[in-house]
Amino acid sequence: MFTRYMKKAVFPGSFDPITLGHVDIIKRALPLFDEIIIAIGINADKKYMFSLSERINYLKKTFAKESKISIDSYEGLTVNYCQKINAAFILRGLRNPADFEFEKAIAVTNRKLSGIETVFLLTSAETSFISSSIVRDIIRNGGDASTLMPEAIL
Ligand code: ADP
């Protein structure tokens, strides 16, 4: 069956909110996969600035024209979600050595648990400094974060 051989990747994250850093990684991953599911992981212990429906809405607006991209959310382990939707890859972005150290342990664990491979893309120089937490800080303090966020959601 064709769907078995489709290269499907999950890009998991909080996306609180989506930034141009995320957009850079997703756009550059498009040629590598047949389908990318941007999936918001719901963590009951985490406090978010934007509600789940706002974050989903921002993602949908940003990628409305991309037929290979869909938006979803999930609870529980990322690998369980990947298995449920038949995705063999997890996509993550790397900005710096701190990201690498953190992501390495998770990626190795995920592969051990499920055989799912994590594919890392290095961020572009222009977006490597961007993080959702900096964007939230700017917004919280009444600053202008518009140069760090996708135009579709401004
Ligand atoms: P999480 O809470 O899981 O870290 P995020 O929404 O902060 O979720 O990030 C999701 C993914 O996007 C992670 O792989 C993260 O490294 C990546 N990412 C975030 N900001 C950038 C950026 N500026 N450049 C490249 N990748 C990024």
Side-chain angles (χ1 to χ4, degrees):
M1 214 168 86
F2 178 61
T3 49
R4 266 197 69 180
Y5 303 104
M6 293 258 292
K7 287 206 196 87
K8 226 177 179 186
V10 169
F11 187 44
S14 312
F15 305 101
D16 187 30
I18 175 152
T19 70
L20 290 181
H22 299 125
V23 174
D24 169 61
I25 295 293
I26 293 163
K27 287 247 159 102
R28 284 173 37 230
L30 274 174
L32 304 178
F33 300 104
D34 299 305
E35 192 182 345
I36 298 177
I37 299 98
I38 308 174
I40 300 181
I42 303 167
N43 180 345
D45 298 329
K46 227 166 155 178
K47 271 235 150 233
Y48 299 103
M49 173 175 259
F50 296 96
S51 70
L52 179 62
S53 59
E54 282 174 315
R55 286 177 283 145
I56 287 178
N57 208 3
Y58 293 159
L59 288 167
K60 284 193 169 156
K61 280 198 167 131
T62 305
F63 298 105
K65 292 197 185 95
E66 297 286 355
S67 56
K68 282 163 85 176
I69 296 178
S70 56
I71 317 297
D72 197 9
S73 63
Y74 66 96
E75 282 177 272
L77 290 179
T78 304
V79 288
N80 289 351
Y81 171 71
C82 292
Q83 283 170 334
K84 195 180 96 189
I85 65 163
N86 265 319
F89 303 96
I90 292 174
L91 171 67
R92 295 287 284 178
L94 291 179
R95 287 165 290 189
N96 49 48
D99 272 358
F100 173 74
E101 285 303 326
F102 178 77
E103 297 288 342
K104 186 175 121 184
I106 297 174
V108 173
T109 309
N110 282 342
R111 197 169 62 231
K112 224 177 159 60
L113 287 177
S114 64
I116 292 170
E117 285 286 359
T118 303
V119 175
F120 294 103
L121 289 185
L122 289 181
T123 183
S124 309
E126 305 82 52
T127 53
S128 64
F129 68 97
I130 302 174
S131 69
S132 293
S133 63
I134 289 181
V135 169
R136 289 197 299 274
D137 237 31
I138 296 171
I139 294 171
R140 202 175 286 124
N141 292 291
D144 177 10
S146 61
T147 57
L148 311 178
M149 297 162 80
E151 223 165 80
I153 68 168
L154 296 176

